[in-house]
């Protein structure tokens, strides 16, 4: 990345822009603005963004990360739910990165509701400082909706990062871990100190990287995810008990599990996403699809 092409926002710039827009960061929207240039440089480098990438940024806020992305990416599409911030971002790009401002497209909207045809070009990378309260649903929605997304790096609450990247057998392995694994190889990519944000959050943050993989099964994703949801709805129960409602009875759950080659006495936290897919396939076979 050539920093001469974009001036990055420091603490004074962030406060000036927020004051100009009369913005008081809200917990509802999960607004904590990054004011440390080294942090956004680290994120862009860790995301392995290249000139071939069309980067999707969710929640660009005042533009700290956006300005670091513009020199590295072929194009950046930013989705911002706050109309005031969405309206200001193109002017910020023109002010701080005048030679690169034409690489930026801003979509005012909710990242949980965007569709593939909302984008001028298919995004290939997701790089974002995600609002903590919607991080997992946003990532899963975008991976499902945008098959063009090949890789990415997101900043989320540290505990959320742990859950997204957890592997079977881990204490924090659950629905987010299993569903994310359907789409991608997900890994922790390091911590982020609280002091780089304004206002300073009362939680720790972490980076999560992902690289898309082929789904582990040809089973319909929705069917597999229903099994995942049922298995973790009562995570302390054995799969025979936890899947009884999904299957119609504990006895049928056991039949399906045995047909899938899964021990009915284990718990959901011990299964990989491919195991859940085999359970869904066995259920479909037994019901005659």
């Amino acid at each position: 990345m050539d920093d001469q092409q974009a001036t990055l926002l420091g603490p004074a710039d962030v406060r000036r822009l927020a004051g100009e827009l009369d913005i008081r960061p809200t917990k509802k929207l999960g607004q904590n603005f990054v004011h440390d240039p080294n942090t956004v440089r680290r994120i862009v480098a860790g995301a392995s963004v290249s000139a071939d990438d069309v980067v999707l940024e969710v929640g660009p806020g005042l533009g700290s990360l956006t300005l670091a992305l513009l020199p590295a990416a072929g194009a950046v599409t930013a989705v911002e739910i706050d109309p005031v911030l969405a309206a200001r971002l193109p002017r910020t790009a023109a002010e701080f990165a005048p030679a690169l401002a034409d690489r930026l497209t801003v979509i005012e909207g909710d990242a949980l509701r965007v569709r593939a045809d909302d984008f001028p070009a298919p995004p290939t990378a997701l790089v974002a400082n995600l609002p903590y309260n919607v991080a997992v649903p946003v990532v899963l929605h975008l991976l499902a909706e945008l098959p063009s997304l090949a890789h990415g790096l997101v900043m989320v609450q540290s505990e959320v990062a742990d859950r997204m990247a957890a592997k079977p057998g881990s204490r924090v392995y659950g629905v987010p871990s299993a569903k994310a694994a359907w789409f991608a190889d997900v890994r922790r990519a390091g911590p982020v100190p609280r002091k780089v944000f304004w206002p300073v959050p009362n939680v720790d943050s972490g980076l999560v990287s992902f690289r898309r993989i082929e789904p582990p099964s040809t089973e319909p994703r929705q069917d597999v995810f229903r099994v995942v949801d049922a298995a973790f709805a009562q995570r302390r129960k054995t799969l025979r008990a936890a899947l009884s409602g999904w299957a119609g009875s504990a006895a049928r759950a056991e039949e399906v599990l045995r047909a899938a080659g899964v021990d009915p006495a284990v718990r959901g936290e011990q299964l990989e996403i491919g195991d859940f897919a085999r359970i869904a396939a066995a259920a479909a076979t037994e019901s005659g699809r």
Side-chain angles (χ1 to χ4, degrees), residues 30-79:
Q31 290 170 324
N32 294 95
F33 301 118
V34 180
H35 60 59
D36 177 56
N38 286 331
T39 297
V40 293
R41 288 190 189 101
R42 175 188 167 205
I43 291 171
V44 174
S48 300
V49 172
S50 76
D52 295 328
D53 279 312
V54 176
V55 174
L56 166 57
E57 183 187 5
V58 172
L62 295 171
S64 298
L65 180 56
T66 314
L67 292 170
L69 286 166
L70 288 173
V76 176
T77 300
V79 178

Side-chain angles (χ1 to χ4, degrees), residues 67-152:
L67 292 170
L69 286 166
L70 288 173
V76 176
T77 300
V79 178
E80 175 56 63
I81 195 171
D82 185 319
V84 174
L85 292 172
R88 183 60 170 87
L89 191 58
R91 286 197 291 128
T92 301
E95 179 182 345
F96 287 85
L100 304 170
D102 62 349
R103 295 184 183 181
L104 176 65
T105 300
V106 179
I107 296 174
E108 181 190 328
D110 186 345
L112 283 169
R113 291 181 169 82
V114 293
R115 295 289 179 254
D117 57 9
D118 293 332
F119 295 90
T124 61
L126 172 64
V127 186
N129 170 22
L130 291 175
Y132 295 159
N133 52 345
V134 295
V136 170
V138 163
V139 170
L140 293 177
H141 169 69
L142 295 175
L143 284 170
E145 181 64 25
L146 302 171
S148 58
L149 277 182
H151 65 106

Side-chain angles (χ1 to χ4, degrees), residues 254-264 266 271 275 278-279 282:
E254 179 165 349
E255 289 176 13
V256 170
L257 287 162
R258 293 197 182 282
V262 176
D263 183 351
V266 304
L271 301 190
D275 298 321
R278 291 206 319 277
I279 295 169

Side-chain angles (χ1 to χ4, degrees), residues 46 92 115 128 139 156 167 177 272 286:
T92 301
R115 295 289 179 254
V139 170
V156 296
K167 304 305 179 190
S177 334
E272 297 180 348
E286 291 213 347

